[in-house]
Amino acid sequence: MIHNSDRVVVRGLKDVAAAETRISYVDYSGALYYLGYNIDDLVGRVIYAEVAYLLIHKRLPNQQELDSFQNALVSAMKLPEPIIESIMRTPKHCHPMDILRTEVSHLGEYDPNGTDFSDAANMRRATLLIAQVPVIVATIHGSRFNQIVPEPKAELGFAQNFLYMFKGTDPDEKETAVLHRYMTLHIDHGFNASTFAARVTASTNSDMYSAVTSAIGALKGPLHGGASEKVMEMLDDINLEEEVEEYIHGLLADQKKIMGFGHRIYKSQDPRTKHLRGMVEDLCHRDRTLKLYNKCIKIEEIVYARKKIYPNVDFYAAVTMDALGVPKEYFTPFFAASRIAGWVAHIIEQYEDAILLRPESKYVGQFNRSFVPIENR
Ligand code: ACO
């Protein structure tokens, strides 16, 4: 046992490895691997369901396995009636992330085998959550217009169905390709704050819904997944490309952080940025996207020149989502609907590790204070 005064506090847990993982590796020099595959070899060559399968089964599926996994996901894209009713009843001013957090927790009440913690039950639950988180997101969006989301279509794949249920129209080929890339790039990222939160909850042998609820709460914060919505607020705030310089210099002069920039691990470019930037560039035939893209490029140049920091995944993700027609308050919910596969894979890995995550703290408060009864205070 280490004595309190000898304890070393690693502020923000920087550089601390909290457990071993086989799921993903974030290389500070600017690379990201899922189960050993470099994302640069996957993006554009795989569909989202294929990577979700990779994360939970620890290997890539063959065509037949992928087809049956997608079928299982698509047929699970249906919410229990009380969840739909609850979403329809939420006040219209509620942020979608608040509703998503509540309804994932609520979903736990309708698990038919809620007390079964076997590996098979957890795998079934993982598939269910991968399928149902996107449907909750689509249902929240529909509910704002008093609309019930359409049933999934058997002829569409899983990710396509997500966009179809969210927007109510069939995604075209380009939108589908963008969505697979976006979701693949967001599926996992080592021990980020939300994944760690999920693993802490899972480490107490709590259930998967509780662990995912913890993760959603952590993802929502603007220092994590909430940053992309803030990026769009910033882009909307800058009226013209010519105003970018003054705007960014102003923020930096006020010691404000530029949303969508900087990263705890990467010391060079975030390997996901080039894919997202390329996707946005491809969508620049749309006038709005071109204007946003031009602002982004300028912001990137100025922030690098001033701070030597690079954009993270959230920066170009904002314009990617905008080009897909997703309103900004749904950027983080789309992130959650992609990251869910990573979260459940990590929760299962944490169950296998079977150790309680419980760090120490260094007490810096007072000792031996004399107690004063309430009537004398
Ligand atoms: N804008 C301006 N300066 C920044 C930024 C930024 N976005 N990010 C880091 N810096 C500067 C800090 O001011 C600090 O400078 P200093 O050493 O001169 O004081 C230095 O870079 C280190 O920054 P920290 O905040 O100490 O780095 P940390 O690893 O703790 O934080 C974080 C990482 C939270 C991502 C930070 O970069 C940030 O707040 N970024 C903006 C929010 C954001 O985009 N979050 C999404 C992250 S990716 C994701 O979660 C999906």
Side-chain angles (χ1 to χ4, degrees):
M1 240 338 161
I2 300 171
H3 192 268
N4 182 56
S5 59
D6 296 331
R7 282 191 189 124
V8 178
V9 174
V10 181
R11 205 162 157 264
L13 302 180
K14 283 189 182 185
D15 288 327
V16 172
E20 291 182 343
T21 184
R22 289 184 166 70
I23 300 169
S24 61
Y25 175 54
V26 182
D27 181 341
Y28 71 92
S29 65
L32 173 59
Y33 299 84
Y34 299 152
L35 270 302
Y37 297 98
N38 190 314
I39 57 157
D40 294 345
D41 293 329
L42 298 176
V43 177
R45 296 165 81 187
V46 289
I47 62 169
Y48 172 76
E50 205 173 338
V51 195
Y53 185 102
L54 169 69
L55 260 54
I56 60 173
H57 292 279
K58 314 275 185 280
R59 62 175 180 83
L60 284 166
N62 61 31
Q63 192 61 54
Q64 199 188 349
E65 287 165 333
L66 178 58
D67 292 345
S68 94
F69 184 57
Q70 277 222 86
N71 287 342
L73 290 174
V74 173
S75 42
M77 293 183 94
K78 191 166 172 23
L79 299 176
E81 207 50 50
I83 307 273
I84 300 173
E85 284 163 15
S86 167
I87 294 173
M88 298 303 282
R89 277 198 310 270
T90 31
K92 295 281 184 274
H93 68 265
C94 283
H95 193 283
M97 280 304 281
D98 293 330
I99 311 173
L100 177 63
R101 182 199 56 219
T102 303
E103 296 308 332
V104 164
S105 171
H106 194 181
L107 209 51
E109 294 175 20
Y110 296 92
D111 189 311
N113 318 96
T115 51
D116 182 354
F117 288 97
S118 64
D119 294 348
N122 279 328
M123 195 57 94
R124 180 192 55 72
R125 220 166 263 137
T127 308
L128 208 69
L129 276 158
I130 295 170
Q132 294 191 334
V133 167
V135 186
I136 296 178
V137 174
T139 306
I140 297 168
H141 184 238
S143 75
R144 307 294 96 172
F145 309 97
N146 291 320
Q147 278 168 11
I148 301 279
V149 295
E151 300 258 319
K153 289 183 176 177
E155 67 273 23
L156 297 182
F158 171 64
Q160 276 169 298
N161 261 312
F162 173 28
L163 205 54
Y164 161 65
M165 292 168 90
F166 185 86
K167 288 176 62 166
T169 49
D170 281 7
D172 62 25
E173 231 174 82
K174 186 112 191 163
E175 288 171 330
T176 304
V178 167
L179 188 65
H180 282 302
R181 284 166 195 248
Y182 167 94
M183 292 182 82
T184 297
L185 288 165
H186 283 78
I187 202 166
D188 200 49
H189 204 238
F191 271 36
N192 58 88
S194 57
T195 299
F196 185 56
R199 290 190 71 133
V200 169
T201 302
S203 82
T204 69
N205 283 348
S206 184
D207 64 283
M208 201 175 274
Y209 300 94
S210 300
V212 173
T213 305
S214 305
I216 293 172
L219 184 74
K220 182 180 171 239
L223 294 189
H224 189 9
S228 56
E229 183 177 342
K230 300 281 173 207
V231 169
M232 192 43 78
E233 281 172 14
M234 170 172 76
L235 294 173
D236 283 341
D237 228 21
I238 305 173
N239 288 317
L240 300 166
E241 203 188 312
E242 298 76 62
E243 293 169 14
V244 167
E245 189 142 9
E246 195 185 336
Y247 187 95
I248 298 297
H249 285 309
L251 286 181
L252 292 176
D254 291 344
Q255 313 291 328
K256 297 236 172 75
K257 289 224 171 136
I258 313 298
M259 288 294 132
F261 279 83
H263 200 273
R264 171 60 66 82
I265 314 265
Y266 296 123
K267 298 299 163 231
S268 59
Q269 300 250 13
D270 182 328
R272 300 164 295 181
T273 302
K274 60 180 179 297
H275 295 287
L276 287 156
R277 194 197 290 109
M279 278 153 65
V280 172
E281 208 177 335
D282 259 8
L283 296 162
C284 275
H285 53 276
R286 299 158 201 240
D287 193 38
R288 176 171 161 81
T289 308
L290 177 65
K291 286 196 177 107
L292 292 169
Y293 175 76
N294 287 339
K295 284 187 210 169
C296 286
I297 294 288
K298 199 141 197 189
I299 296 172
E300 204 182 329
E301 281 168 14
I302 297 167
V303 175
Y304 184 74
R306 281 285 302 270
K307 299 287 295 184
K308 298 282 171 291
I309 53 173
Y310 300 98
N312 58 51
V313 69
D314 281 324
F315 190 60
Y316 285 99
V319 190
T320 309
M321 285 284 96
D322 184 87
L324 281 185
V326 175
K328 61 174 180 278
E329 60 278 21
Y330 291 89
F331 290 1
T332 318
F334 264 73
F335 189 157
S338 315
R339 183 58 61 86
I340 179 64
W343 287 334
V344 293
H346 277 274
I347 292 164
I348 291 170
E349 190 177 57
Q350 186 61 45
Y351 288 148
E352 288 162 1
D353 198 15
I355 177 97
L356 176 71
L357 288 169
R358 202 290 187 202
E360 258 296 358
S361 57
K362 180 171 184 162
Y363 180 69
V364 292
Q366 302 176 48
F367 288 99
N368 302 324
R369 299 179 79 183
S370 46
F371 177 76
V372 181
I374 195 158
E375 60 277 17
N376 298 337
R377 277 177 234 157

